[in-house]
Amino acid sequence: MSKILFTKGHGTGNDFVLVLDAEGALSLSKPQIAKICNRHFGVGADGLIRVVKSSALPEGKAILAEEPGAIWFMDYYNADGSTAEMCGNGIRVFARYLLDRGLATITDGGTLPIGTRDGVKDITKSANGFAVDLGRWKLDGESVVEVSGLDVARPAQGIDVGNPHAVVALASDSELAALRLLDAPTIDPVPENGANVEFVVPRDPMVQHGVGHISMRVFERGVGETLSCGTGIAAAALATRYWAGSEAPNQWQVSVPGGVVGVRMFATEDGEHVGISGPAELSFDGEIDLATL
């Protein structure tokens, strides 16, 4: 197989190359994925998503044992070719792809279960696109972050939403704008598997009509600065609520360079879950000649 078809899509500017490989026959190397995602020499994207049936992968078969309805598995890779546990924007684009290509349906009021390396994620339709239940979350320790554009290191709150995050509070929009995220922020202590780093500024007032509002920029491990990061948006809202105390709301609007994504925290039988909602668009189709990679 020297040529493969792809679709380009994005969620609030966080963009992906999607490749349909239903039976799991395609094997892309880490350098090939990095070349495809390269914005100068490839298609250009923040990540690559292989659209594969859960039954074609060992981790997917384990997913099916938990949820037989999770027919499809989101096999996600960062722009450098490394794997990632989850992608909140990517899974919404994944759902859009499945629906637009007639590979799956979501009935009114129904859910679409999708397999990921972080387990099954349930997708529903929302007013502005799709909503995804990211599942349970947890505080993940504190650290110190240094980044170009800030004179001094800042404390960060670790948040685990299936993948690791370090959330840093900033004092003003001018501090947020001054960040230079061409190079990765340094985190002390260094996380074993790395972490995405979110920089957050609350709006003034932060809470309006019972909804919290924050602005955010993010540096994603294995990618760099992106216009949006779905799990990072959830982590930023969770950390801000944690800092704000018990009276803080469970509904948030997070503004990122690529748009606005909603966040909701809600109780379930197995503990509190966090979900995000936002748009997902497919941009264009194309063909990649693997012989040139």
Side-chain angles (χ1 to χ4, degrees):
M1 183 188 300
S2 63
K3 294 184 179 181
I4 58 174
L5 301 177
F6 73 88
T7 297
K8 184 74 180 293
H10 76 93
T12 53
N14 198 191
D15 60 342
F16 313 96
V17 171
L18 297 98
V19 176
L20 178 60
D21 181 31
E23 304 305 323
L26 179 64
S27 178
L28 291 173
S29 68
K30 185 174 180 179
Q32 284 178 318
I33 293 171
K35 184 72 175 290
I36 291 170
C37 292
N38 189 290
R39 297 192 183 278
H40 300 287
F41 299 101
V43 178
D46 293 326
L48 182 141
I49 300 173
R50 189 166 63 128
V51 183
V52 59
K53 288 184 178 178
S54 295
S55 58
L57 299 173
E59 56 265 62
K61 291 177 181 177
I63 289 289
L64 286 172
E66 174 189 345
E67 172 51 77
I71 303 300
W72 293 97
F73 189 94
M74 183 180 72
D75 188 21
Y76 183 79
Y77 298 86
N78 294 317
D80 66 354
S82 60
T83 59
E85 299 87 347
M86 242 297 288
C87 178
N89 287 323
I91 200 167
R92 298 198 318 276
V93 176
F94 188 91
R96 171 67 70 192
Y97 182 91
L98 293 179
L99 268 60
D100 281 16
R101 297 298 189 267
L103 300 172
T105 59
I106 302 178
T107 60
D108 290 340
T111 63
L112 172 64
I114 291 174
T116 76
R117 293 188 183 90
D118 186 46
V120 176
K121 305 300 176 186
D122 289 325
I123 304 289
T124 58
K125 292 181 179 179
S126 67
N128 60 346
F130 296 95
V132 54
D133 179 358
L134 297 177
R136 294 187 66 178
W137 66 278
K138 63 180 180 180
L139 295 173
D140 200 24
E142 297 179 353
S143 59
V144 175
V145 168
E146 292 188 57
V147 63
S148 181
L150 292 181
D151 293 336
V152 297
R154 302 295 175 89
Q157 177 61 57
I159 299 284
D160 188 322
V161 287
N163 55 1
H165 297 265
V167 185
V168 179
L170 300 181
S172 65
D173 290 333
S174 60
E175 277 197 335
L176 189 65
L179 296 175
R180 295 191 290 274
L181 297 180
L182 294 177
D183 297 317
T186 60
I187 308 172
D188 184 21
V190 178
E192 180 180 357
N193 298 312
N196 295 354
V197 183
E198 289 77 32
F199 300 90
V200 176
V201 175
R203 294 288 183 86
D204 185 16
M206 183 176 72
V207 179
Q208 304 171 35
H209 307 294
V211 178
H213 294 262
I214 57 177
S215 298
M216 185 194 90
R217 289 175 64 187
V218 57
F219 189 99
E220 292 195 54
R221 59 177 179 165
V223 185
E225 183 177 13
T226 59
L227 295 180
S228 180
C229 171
T231 56
I233 284 167
L238 287 164
T240 305
R241 186 188 65 164
Y242 173 70
W243 293 325
S246 59
E247 298 303 313
N250 292 326
Q251 303 251 8
W252 293 80
Q253 292 285 311
V254 181
S255 297
V256 292
V260 178
V261 175
V263 180
R264 182 172 70 98
M265 301 88 165
F266 54 98
T268 72
E269 291 183 356
D270 64 340
E272 186 178 68
H273 284 210
V274 61
I276 61 172
S277 60
E281 305 293 341
L282 302 181
S283 305
F284 61 87
D285 298 323
E287 186 179 76
I288 300 168
D289 187 348
L290 295 180
T292 66
L293 296 178

